[in-house]
Amino acid sequence: MNRVLYLAPPLAVLLAAGLAAQPDETFVDTIDVQVVEVDAVVTDRRGRPVSGLKREDFELLVDGELVEIASFYEANVVGERPDRGNDQLESSQGAPARANEQFTVALYLDDANLLPSHRTRLLRRLVTAVEPWRTRNASFMLARFEHRLEVLVPPTRDLNKLVEGAAAIPKGSPRALQSSESARRYAIRSLIDSHEACLSMQFCRPCQDNWGELLSQARQYAANETTRAGVAVDGLADLVTTLAGVPGKKAVVYLTDGLPQRPGLSVLDYLGNQLCRDLRPNAPSEVAAEMVQYDEASRFNRLAAHANANRVTFYGLDAAGLRSAVGDIAVDSPALAPRFENTSLFAVNAQSGLQIVSAETGGKALVNANDLEILLDDVSSHLSASYSLGFQATPGKPGEIRQVSARLASHAARSRRIDYRRSYREKSLDERLAERLLSVAYLGATENPLAASVHFGSTEPQEENVHRLTVGVAVPAEAILALPLRGEETGWLRLWLMAVEQKTGTRTPVRQKSLLVGGVSGTDAINDAYRFEVAMDLASGSYQVAVGVRDEVTGVASLVREPVTVPSAGAADDDAPRP
């Protein structure tokens, strides 16, 4: 029985067992050619975007090897909205110039790591910050993460909806009850208390007899901060996954009180390089070894590779603004107060994760200035001249991270700087399809070239307030390309689906199966359409059911969603779900 589960960022959780046995024989070979687009921005020595560059002005390397730039175009993704019919112009390269490519800005509030006062200050600037974008070729969405990802405003060009959605957020909703700074102060205060307790004992040698206790306290703080950072990264990964089906480039404006690369760094530094430095000769080296154990750089790099594969660029904003480097812990002995260097180290470390994920995806981070308007201006100027360098990816292992390097040819360098996506993660076809379905379920990014339709049959009560819902899918036979197989015309479909509970945002795993249609061994068409039924076990509630159908011969896919309400387990057996 499949229950509705809370969001889990790893895509492996999304891909559940098939709905039915797979065909015993693959009757046609399909070629899945994936073109990876590396978005790059070129600026001069003054930081001004450089436009007008050509394909021959760039070089592209994957894992250190030069690759052919198979597709190239320049796009002003934040330019003025074009007149209808002028979206694409032929370039001298023979490919569409795409002067105004689709572009989406996702404002993302990390409410689990964002103090209410900081968030309020940011949202007050929202109206002013987005005003210049009203005439630009961009969509906006608003999302937040507390215990789960919540899409407050799906992608829209109506900025009034964005402003209204931000105003509707309850003022007391963030649960960042203890900021990273207050947690640090508490941890250092605890170390000082333990140190002074040892001093008060007759035979206790500070930083010798109580070293294990001190180190344990520092480790506990580092572990807690590592968990906090991990939750933040999981939320970002879920957002990136959800954006997979949104066309064009995506910029995530990430609003948080910090994303430390080495959680616990400042407390460990205080313990080894100040509190115990003169009392325990090996203290600096011992805490240095501990610091390495709490390093999140690899996690950030995996997140960046995931974002790069989905054409998502991060623009981070440290909502804490200008952080004070003045000693902030009052102690009886001034010598025990954290030094200026330690407080500065905490501030730099809190901003380091923002710097990493932004740089690795070709974006920027704004630190020491809690101003959303400045950051959105940076996004606009940074992307006013953007280039897409596409290459055909060679098959690799799913999940494998490939390193990408884009550079200007020697004749085009001339003191210019290039920002670009520095890696990407190999994805299987199943994962790419699951991500697109997720976008449909949460954002409504539907597309239906196969004219597929979804309907719901009756529900059957199971146990513990769970009903079995029958989901019917129909695809016109004329929309499917059939090929000769052993003297008969046969087609091959892939069906996958999931359900999202609208109130809580929880979802079922993605389930899928492959189907032969036509011929003797395949499903027959009824009234000129292929029809299938799938059973899903759901708790009572209101859902969006997202369904994908892919013609495996042509690669054409339809993604649709329909609302449905599942009754409570006490309802009659013949009660039908309410669309």
Side-chain angles (χ1 to χ4, degrees):
M1 182 184 303
N2 287 322
R3 299 290 181 82
V4 178
L5 305 176
Y6 278 97
L7 268 68
L11 256 292
V13 176
L14 294 179
L15 298 172
L19 301 173
Q22 305 296 312
D24 294 332
E25 170 179 39
T26 300
F27 67 93
V28 62
D29 289 331
T30 60
I31 301 176
D32 182 32
V33 179
Q34 183 182 9
V35 175
V36 177
E37 292 190 84
V38 179
D39 296 304
V41 174
V42 180
T43 53
D44 63 17
R45 65 180 64 187
R46 296 184 179 180
R48 298 173 301 191
V50 176
S51 59
L53 297 178
K54 307 299 182 183
R55 187 196 305 250
E56 57 268 22
D57 296 325
F58 294 87
E59 294 177 346
L60 194 58
L61 299 89
V62 178
D63 291 336
E65 299 290 333
L66 278 171
V67 296
E68 179 185 358
I69 299 176
S71 63
F72 174 86
Y73 61 89
E74 178 183 354
N76 182 355
V77 294
V78 292
E80 296 296 315
R81 292 185 181 175
D83 294 332
R84 185 169 296 180
N86 294 331
D87 286 0
Q88 294 189 355
L89 303 173
E90 286 299 315
S91 71
S92 59
Q93 304 294 331
R98 299 197 214 182
N100 291 280
E101 184 184 18
Q102 294 185 72
F103 180 58
T104 301
V105 179
L107 296 177
Y108 177 70
L109 300 165
D110 185 6
D111 276 353
N113 296 290
L114 188 60
L115 286 179
S117 59
H118 295 165
R119 188 189 68 169
T120 299
R121 189 162 63 243
L122 285 170
L123 293 181
R124 283 176 179 169
R125 301 284 296 175
L126 180 64
V127 176
T128 304
V130 301
E131 189 62 33
W133 291 76
R134 289 191 179 275
T135 60
R136 292 177 184 165
N137 185 42
S139 298
F140 270 82
M141 67 173 283
L142 180 64
R144 67 171 179 169
F145 183 89
E146 192 175 322
H147 301 296
R148 62 178 178 85
L149 176 66
E150 183 178 356
V151 177
L152 303 173
V153 180
T156 177
R157 294 197 176 200
D158 185 352
L159 293 188
N160 291 332
K161 292 182 179 179
L162 179 74
V163 174
E164 292 168 2
I169 301 175
K171 297 298 185 291
S173 62
R175 293 295 180 264
L177 299 180
Q178 185 182 48
S179 69
S180 294
E181 291 188 11
S182 60
R184 166 185 168 270
R185 288 193 294 266
Y186 179 82
I188 291 179
R189 180 73 257 186
S190 297
L191 292 177
I192 293 173
D193 289 344
S194 296
H195 178 77
E196 291 179 334
C198 180
L199 287 174
S200 67
M201 298 173 63
Q202 184 175 3
F203 299 107
C204 183
R205 296 172 298 167
C207 298
Q208 295 291 337
D209 296 333
N210 66 338
W211 177 250
E213 178 185 351
L214 294 173
L215 189 58
S216 176
Q217 290 176 349
R219 284 172 173 167
Q220 184 61 55
Y221 167 78
N224 290 342
E225 292 302 292
T226 298
T227 299
R228 185 198 296 260
V231 170
V233 170
D234 286 348
L236 285 170
D238 230 357
L239 176 64
V240 168
T241 300
T242 303
L243 289 170
V246 177
K249 290 187 64 173
K250 284 83 67 173
V252 169
V253 176
Y254 176 38
L255 311 176
T256 182
D257 276 345
L259 187 65
Q261 176 185 344
R262 289 190 171 181
L265 177 64
S266 63
V267 172
L268 287 165
D269 173 78
Y270 174 79
L271 173 61
N273 294 313
Q274 184 175 342
L275 184 65
C276 293
R277 183 179 182 87
D278 298 327
L279 300 172
R280 185 181 181 88
N282 293 332
S285 60
E286 289 179 84
V287 297
E290 294 288 335
M291 292 175 183
V292 175
Q293 301 299 317
Y294 299 98
D295 192 316
E296 296 294 282
S298 60
R299 189 196 294 262
F300 297 157
N301 288 330
R302 289 194 298 271
L303 170 64
H306 180 40
N308 291 337
N310 288 351
R311 296 194 74 191
V312 173
T313 301
F314 285 117
Y315 291 86
L317 187 148
D318 179 10
L322 184 61
R323 296 173 182 267
S324 173
V326 178
D328 55 353
I329 300 178
V331 294
D332 294 335
S333 174
L336 295 179
R339 296 169 182 161
F340 172 87
E341 294 81 4
N342 181 268
T343 309
S344 298
L345 182 64
F346 171 78
V348 172
N349 186 47
Q351 298 163 350
S352 59
L354 294 176
Q355 302 278 12
I356 291 174
V357 297
S358 297
E360 289 292 319
T361 58
K364 289 184 175 182
L366 179 65
V367 298
N368 301 325
N370 182 1
D371 195 325
L372 184 58
E373 187 174 0
I374 293 177
L375 183 58
L376 288 180
D377 284 345
D378 284 346
V379 174
S380 177
S381 61
H382 196 229
L383 297 176
S384 59
S386 177
Y387 300 89
S388 176
L389 317 175
F391 68 94
Q392 289 189 1
T394 56
K397 297 179 180 179
E400 181 181 4
I401 295 179
R402 313 291 293 274
Q403 300 303 315
V404 176
S405 177
R407 65 193 184 194
L408 292 169
S410 57
H411 67 270
R414 289 178 292 210
S415 301
R416 291 168 174 168
R417 170 188 172 89
I418 180 170
D419 295 312
Y420 58 91
R421 307 182 186 280
R422 300 180 183 178
S423 62
Y424 77 96
R425 186 171 64 84
E426 293 278 3
K427 296 182 181 180
S428 66
L429 176 61
D430 285 346
E431 183 176 349
R432 296 202 301 273
L433 294 176
E435 287 186 333
R436 291 176 64 191
L437 193 65
L438 202 64
S439 293
V440 171
Y442 282 98
L443 304 179
T446 60
E447 49 185 298
N448 196 9
L450 298 178
S453 60
V454 176
H455 65 276
F456 302 106
S458 60
T459 60
E460 179 183 349
Q462 301 298 299
E463 58 182 354
E464 298 181 14
N465 200 32
V466 172
H467 266 64
R468 178 160 295 168
L469 171 68
T470 300
V471 181
V473 182
V475 185
E478 64 180 7
I480 305 303
L481 178 62
L483 295 179
L485 176 66
R486 298 173 183 170
E488 56 188 18
E489 298 288 325
T490 308
W492 184 21
L493 297 181
R494 185 195 298 255
L495 175 69
W496 70 107
L497 78 164
M498 67 178 297
V500 174
E501 211 280 328
Q502 296 187 79
K503 183 177 180 180
T504 64
T506 55
R507 67 186 179 220
T508 65
V510 174
R511 306 173 64 199
Q512 64 171 303
K513 72 173 180 179
S514 295
L515 304 154
L516 291 175
V517 294
V520 175
S521 55
T523 300
D524 293 330
I526 300 175
N527 296 329
D528 298 322
Y530 298 116
R531 303 177 186 275
F532 314 96
E533 287 190 347
V534 179
M536 301 182 73
D537 289 345
L538 301 171
S540 61
S542 297
Y543 294 84
Q544 290 285 352
V545 175
V547 176
V549 182
R550 185 176 191 262
D551 184 341
E552 297 289 73
V553 177
T554 64
V556 176
S558 282
L559 297 108
V560 296
R561 75 172 188 178
E562 292 290 341
V564 67
T565 298
V566 177
S568 63
D573 288 0
D574 59 351
D575 277 358
R578 298 186 300 277

